[in-house]
Amino acid sequence: MWFERTKNLLVKLAIELPIIQAPMAGGATTPALVAAVSNAGGLGSIGAGYLSPNDIRIAITGTRALTNKPFSVNLFVTSSIKAKHIQVATINRNLDVYRKELHIQQVSDTADYVDLFKEQLAVVLEEKVPVFSFTFGIPSPEAIKILKDNNVIIMGTATTVNEGLQLENKGCDIIVAQGSEAGGHRGSFAGGFRTSLIGTMAFIPQLVDAVKIPVVAAGGIMDGRGLAASLILGASAVQMGTAFLTCPESGIHKKYKLAILDSTEESTVVTSVFSGKPARGIKNRFIEEMEVEQDNVADYPIQNTLTQDIRKEAAKQNRTEFMSLWAGQGTRLSKEKFAADFIESVISEAKKILNTCSRNL
Amino acid sequence: MWFERTKNLLVKLAIELPIIQAPMAGGATTPALVAAVSNAGGLGSIGAGYLSPNDIRIAITGTRALTNKPFSVNLFVTSSIKAKHIQVATINRNLDVYRKELHIQQVSDTADYVDLFKEQLAVVLEEKVPVFSFTFGIPSPEAIKILKDNNVIIMGTATTVNEGLQLENKGCDIIVAQGSEAGGHRGSFAGGFRTSLIGTMAFIPQLVDAVKIPVVAAGGIMDGRGLAASLILGASAVQMGTAFLTCPESGIHKKYKLAILDSTEESTVVTSVFSGKPARGIKNRFIEEMEVEQDNVADYPIQNTLTQDIRKEAAKQNRTEFMSLWAGQGTRLSKEKFAADFIESVISEAKKILNTCSRNL
């Protein structure tokens, strides 16, 4: 059924189907979702970027209780930052409008960020997670070496050919190629924001031509057509994120799920106002108002820390106008199927399409 | 070989291969290029948006001298505009920096635009061009009726599902779906600029699900992989623009051709500084400097008129830093083949890929 490159990747990852569930941080990737994907033959992924080392262990243990199949854990490559008090005060002044509206009392006047990558990675290694993926950069040579010494398969995220080449040179086993259609944070780490939004149709063949390691296509892939097309462009598998957000097993807020189901391909924009890093999400009041002033946005992860109380309280109060509603550009194709049923439908549609190719010869 | 929907479209257009050469205005679509594409079995297209009625007739006659196969003519849907003198003066003041550098003497202080669509269309009808395509909007019901009465096949350009539905409702026969990867002007006419940049991978299946008429995929398609993937996503054919710009038959400036061949997927941005309408082109000094001030940009087509002398003189002086270097995001895949050889390579690669699908079953 599959191209040789896909068969090789499936063997490498010890999975049956070329579908990776994207490691979406922020609560979507519950043990139920990750395990359901892996049990169905795909690769489930824990989006652990925002989790403490202890919470990562809990997520891994929870997932292991539901599956004995391989899954991956994803971390962010960041560094510790001491936020400037003047900047924090300025941004907080603007954010206070929303806090007032949400009746949030306490406001933190610091936004220092302590990088826990080392401690997070230690848990991944101790728990013998078979596949490790990352985004926002490249881990240190030491971290890559430890992963390799422990036979962990390493997947990096690229948004340009240049980033893909860097990942290959630094020892990655697989590249996740994130096209501009993708929901959530851009994984870009080496290019300008405007010039690293490459559509999946253009990005995959150019990256595949430039690197030797397998490429996983991501961005706008929502069904069997997207899977079959991605494989034909040269990808060995696909990574789907938004498509899994509306599964019953996904941990996102009910209103967020409804917002995705109600949205169209025109609903999203790429914005930095929630976290300080460009990310694609459904346009809402917070984005529209915050984007007016560029002074409203600090660098990642300071901005992320500062907006956290607003996003949390907005979720509690079911107010989507202040929540980060990350989603890609394919949301008209969103379904509410269980992960296993969804995967089955994607695979059977892709098989049918590839089958039709042969009948037409 | 082809899916049923592709076979049907080929019959409708009376062509052999599902490749349409994009109607690029601004000199690229010489009779030599258009005829070469049509003679090779595709559909050549004259980008006539900027041409006078008389020049359109010359282009059609020139093309007919080289082929008896079908081709299309493309026009812009615009309206007459009287430019405000104050705005023209302001923009000219900023543009004078470049005029000085290029030693341009005379500066026009008006930028009124007289819409010639009716007169242009009259030539298309008189010359019995079999296929008419358009962008930037939808022609009047009267124009659509005349085209239908004359059995001209009507192709409209859409950048969102909503625009595609409007084109279908107004009587178009075929929709060209322009993904965000595409080079040159965005065809958007009903959506916001930021929310109508939909990647081809996400756009095609969503549009195909929403409309009944055939969809032609455009944006980032550069080779047989792109053709095969687009057909699998649900398109009936593809439209390729950037891929034809580097053919020997293309009429673009030699330095522009070299800029495309030297560029990568990261080289382009979408900008309004040249014409007043968003368009994707290779980033250069003019874009970088002009984008600093939003006051530098008037609405289309006023801005286009005001920057015309600069672009023309820059071309004469071989200075690409002031030229509009329209290109899509797939330029690493650019070749310098003759149009016929290029089409042959795309088709044979697509056939080989679709063939491999069947061998793997």
Side-chain angles (χ1 to χ4, degrees), chain B residues 37-83:
Chain B
V37 171
S38 290
N39 283 332
L43 185 74
S45 312
I46 300 172
Y50 295 131
L51 299 184
S52 69
N54 192 47
D55 285 344
I56 293 176
R57 201 181 303 273
I58 291 169
I60 293 170
T61 311
T63 304
R64 284 247 163 85
L66 303 173
T67 185
N68 54 12
K69 299 282 182 75
F71 58 87
S72 83
V73 169
N74 180 278
L75 294 178
F76 297 156
V77 178
T78 55
S79 22
S80 294
I81 287 187
K82 267 196 101 60

Side-chain angles (χ1 to χ4, degrees), chain A residues 198-221:
Chain A
I198 318 297
T200 304
M201 178 68 79
F203 186 27
I204 302 304
Q206 292 182 96
L207 179 60
V208 163
D209 285 354
V211 299
K212 288 176 202 78
I213 58 177
V215 168
V216 174
I221 303 159

Side-chain angles (χ1 to χ4, degrees), chain B residues 206-223:
Chain B
Q206 292 181 98
L207 179 60
V208 163
D209 286 355
V211 299
K212 288 175 203 79
I213 58 177
V215 169
V216 174
I221 303 160
M222 296 291 289
D223 59 16

Side-chain angles (χ1 to χ4, degrees), chain A residues 136-360:
Chain A
F136 300 161
I138 310 179
S140 67
E142 296 72 35
I144 298 278
K145 188 177 179 305
I146 295 171
L147 286 159
K148 286 199 173 291
D149 289 348
N150 284 271
N151 296 312
V152 180
I153 295 168
I154 308 172
M155 290 174 63
T157 310
T159 63
T160 63
V161 172
N162 172 27
E163 288 173 355
L165 287 167
Q166 288 191 41
L167 292 171
E168 181 175 60
N169 290 338
K170 294 286 169 67
C172 285
D173 299 300
I174 299 161
I175 301 166
V176 176
Q178 188 189 33
S180 60
E181 296 93 330
H185 280 94
R186 305 295 307 153
S188 307
F189 59 91
F193 152 59
R194 281 178 76 197
T195 52
S196 60
L197 276 167
I198 318 297
T200 304
M201 178 68 79
F203 186 27
I204 302 304
Q206 292 182 96
L207 179 60
V208 163
D209 285 354
V211 299
K212 288 176 202 78
I213 58 177
V215 168
V216 174
I221 303 159
M222 296 291 288
D223 58 17
R225 291 173 290 187
L227 168 57
S230 298
L231 299 181
I232 276 178
L233 288 174
S236 301
V238 297
Q239 181 168 290
M240 299 167 102
T242 309
F244 283 107
L245 284 179
T246 48
C247 292
E249 298 99 326
S250 132
I252 64 170
H253 195 284
K254 201 190 156 178
K255 287 265 186 177
Y256 175 10
K257 225 177 257 195
L258 288 175
I260 293 173
L261 292 166
D262 280 349
S263 70
T264 75
E265 82 289 359
E266 291 188 69
S267 301
T268 69
V269 288
V270 177
T271 184
S272 299
V273 298
F274 281 111
S275 71
K277 237 186 214 306
R280 185 178 292 286
I282 297 171
K283 203 170 178 174
N284 58 8
R285 192 183 135 198
F286 189 80
I287 295 173
E288 278 172 43
E289 293 181 359
M290 287 285 287
E291 287 212 334
V292 176
E293 294 275 338
Q294 204 45 43
D295 290 349
N296 283 336
V297 183
D299 284 346
Y300 180 90
I302 297 168
Q303 184 77 7
N304 196 59
T305 307
L306 293 175
T307 64
Q308 197 171 27
D309 58 346
I310 293 170
R311 289 179 282 121
K312 272 196 178 166
E313 186 57 36
K316 265 190 207 159
Q317 297 183 23
N318 293 315
R319 295 184 67 169
T320 52
E321 71 262 44
F322 303 127
M323 291 161 61
S324 53
L325 308 169
W326 306 138
Q329 291 186 316
T331 54
R332 279 183 195 261
L333 305 172
S334 293
K335 304 268 182 286
E336 291 181 275
K337 290 182 179 173
F338 283 101
D341 296 337
F342 171 68
I343 289 174
E344 151 64 22
S345 73
V346 172
I347 295 292
S348 70
E349 189 186 13
K351 281 190 180 178
K352 200 178 147 196
I353 291 168
L354 297 177
N355 229 314
T356 311
C357 293
S358 77
R359 277 209 314 276
N360 277 308

